[in-house]
Amino acid sequence: MHYDVFNGDADGIIALLQIRLAQGQAEQVPSQLITGVKRDINLLQQVDSSKATSVTVLDLSLEKNNQALQKLLTAQVPVFYVDHHRTGDIPQSALLTSILDTDANTCTSLLINDYLKGAHVNWAIAAAYGDNMHASASTLAKQVGLSELQQAQLNELGTYINYNGYGQELSDLHFHPAELFTLLIHYPDPFVLIAQENSIFSQLKTAYLADMEQAQAAKVLTDSHLVKTIVLDDAPWARRVSGVFGNALANEAPDKAHIVITLNQAKVVVQSEINVETDTSAETTTSEECGQSYTVSLRAPLNNKQGAGDICAQFPTGGGRAAAAGVNALPKGRLDEFIKQVASYYQH
């Protein structure tokens, strides 16, 4: 069985979309789709190495999935791995084909676009916009002759698909990312989707605008020339909009970093805050027992797209890329420390 393992955001979904569209119906092979909310990045461990005949991995940090990757390679499973996040140590194996580039101005869908020689470039542009890489997206759009209106439409599409991937759990989302992929595969031309009445595009647009309207009234916790911190409600709409709202703030003030936080719901395990013993009860310690935690989205200044992943990686459950990163469960008592770390980094 072939497995497609991909991030549930615009970049992960559209990277796979380009590959499958380029293959055409005649070459399509049945595959098991493994994905989840955007922050669910330890997905490769869900692949059954005893059943897998091949695996494609898209937009997931190799650093976070290294152990599962090693297991697959040991089981003699060929893996095609494309990503732009932190890599850590890259396994050396003839079974591993990888395209890995951590440049802050590229994303997985742009890497796939290069790999496929622009076979579905309009989708790649939408993904780049969705991943808040507006300069890269606009440059490519101009190269292929898209009008300003077409660029704006693909910007919207990418943003809405990306918005759908945010949430603490799948029930927060409007569409399961696997379902969204299977719906989008019917649109080789994204402009057909955009023009279609009552389409996925229009459904997500309506939901996005409603959530963003609530976010505009969110509490500002800190605001300096270096960093702005926004606190969103503990509600599904807030969890859905946290990442795209961070992107919007970054575009409005490109010289400062932006932090968007939401309070986690109960039973979020904060492994680093407890001494994990061998007994089961200790391993299932919850956030209620060890203190509440925040989900954190960090955006580096657009005019200095570096450091976000490194900052977040210093905290438990943190990681990401140079321009955008996050912490899944930041202990509530460490929020001030996190904000100071961000301000200190961008002060230089």
Side-chain angles (χ1 to χ4, degrees):
M1 178 181 291
H2 177 79
Y3 286 81
D4 288 316
V5 188
F6 56 102
N7 199 318
D9 69 352
D11 196 22
I13 292 173
I14 295 175
L16 180 60
L17 194 65
Q18 290 177 85
I19 292 173
R20 298 294 167 243
L21 288 172
Q23 286 180 332
Q25 291 297 323
E27 298 180 40
Q28 292 289 345
V29 295
S31 71
Q32 180 73 37
L33 302 179
I34 295 180
T35 186
V37 298
K38 178 179 173 64
R39 288 177 177 273
D40 188 0
I41 58 174
N42 298 314
L43 294 173
L44 198 53
Q45 61 189 359
Q46 296 182 32
V47 175
D48 187 338
S49 59
S50 67
K51 294 181 179 178
T53 54
S54 57
V55 179
T56 295
V57 189
L58 301 167
D59 200 37
L60 297 170
S61 168
L62 194 152
E63 183 178 54
K64 299 291 186 181
N65 290 275
N66 196 300
Q67 188 173 355
L69 176 59
Q70 295 275 13
K71 182 179 179 180
L72 287 169
L73 297 175
T74 301
Q76 299 299 299
V77 179
V79 178
F80 179 51
Y81 208 121
V82 187
D83 186 51
H84 65 129
H85 299 93
R86 291 163 58 105
T87 63
D89 294 329
I90 303 171
Q92 301 301 306
S93 171
L95 293 167
L96 176 62
T97 302
S98 63
I99 304 173
L100 303 168
D101 188 343
T102 59
D103 188 286
N105 295 306
T106 196
C107 62
T108 304
S109 283
L110 289 177
L111 297 175
I112 290 294
N113 179 66
D114 289 343
Y115 174 73
L116 296 175
K117 297 180 171 55
H120 292 277
V121 65
N122 289 343
W123 273 115
I125 292 167
Y129 277 124
D131 224 19
N132 206 38
M133 297 187 178
H134 288 205
S136 298
S138 295
T139 297
L140 182 56
K142 290 171 184 174
Q143 287 175 1
V144 298
L146 295 185
S147 67
E148 289 188 9
L149 173 60
Q150 289 173 315
Q151 291 176 53
Q153 289 175 324
L154 292 181
N155 188 351
E156 280 192 85
L157 177 59
T159 299
Y160 302 153
I161 295 173
N162 206 51
Y163 151 78
N164 182 76
Y166 281 92
Q168 190 173 345
E169 52 193 32
L170 289 167
S171 62
D172 289 334
L173 312 186
H174 297 291
F175 295 92
H176 189 295
E179 178 193 5
L180 188 53
F181 166 78
T182 59
L183 292 170
L184 294 176
I185 197 72
H186 298 292
Y187 297 91
D189 181 356
F191 291 112
V192 173
L193 170 66
I194 292 167
Q196 191 175 78
E197 194 173 346
N198 298 321
S199 67
I200 310 157
F201 172 81
S202 61
Q203 292 175 50
L204 287 176
K205 179 176 183 175
T206 299
Y208 168 86
L209 292 176
D211 286 352
M212 284 292 281
E213 185 177 1
Q214 294 195 76
Q216 295 296 339
K219 176 184 176 182
V220 177
L221 185 63
T222 70
D223 193 5
S224 71
H225 69 287
L226 295 171
V227 57
K228 185 174 185 177
T229 308
I230 301 288
V231 183
L232 298 181
D233 293 344
D234 178 16
W237 73 263
R239 294 188 287 274
R240 285 194 298 267
V241 85
S242 61
V244 288
F245 186 50
N247 291 343
L249 292 170
N251 287 312
E252 291 171 5
D255 290 323
K256 68 170 66 176
H258 290 85
I259 302 168
V260 177
I261 64 171
T262 53
L263 187 66
N264 276 326
Q265 294 173 308
K267 297 184 180 179
V268 175
V269 177
V270 187
Q271 295 282 3
S272 69
E273 295 301 298
I274 57 177
N275 293 318
V276 179
E277 304 294 343
T278 55
D279 63 283
T280 305
S281 61
E283 291 178 351
T284 57
T285 300
T286 68
S287 62
E288 291 176 306
E289 295 165 315
C290 61
Q292 289 181 312
S293 65
Y294 289 114
T295 297
V296 180
S297 288
L298 172 64
R299 297 295 179 266
L302 284 187
N303 292 335
N304 183 21
K305 294 199 294 187
Q306 60 177 325
D310 292 335
I311 294 168
C312 290
Q314 296 176 40
F315 294 82
T317 72
R321 52 188 173 83
V327 182
N328 287 344
L330 178 73
K332 201 171 182 180
R334 299 188 68 180
L335 178 59
D336 287 345
E337 177 190 350
F338 183 85
I339 295 170
K340 288 176 182 177
Q341 286 267 36
V342 174
S344 176
Y345 184 93
Y346 294 113
Q347 192 168 17
H348 305 294

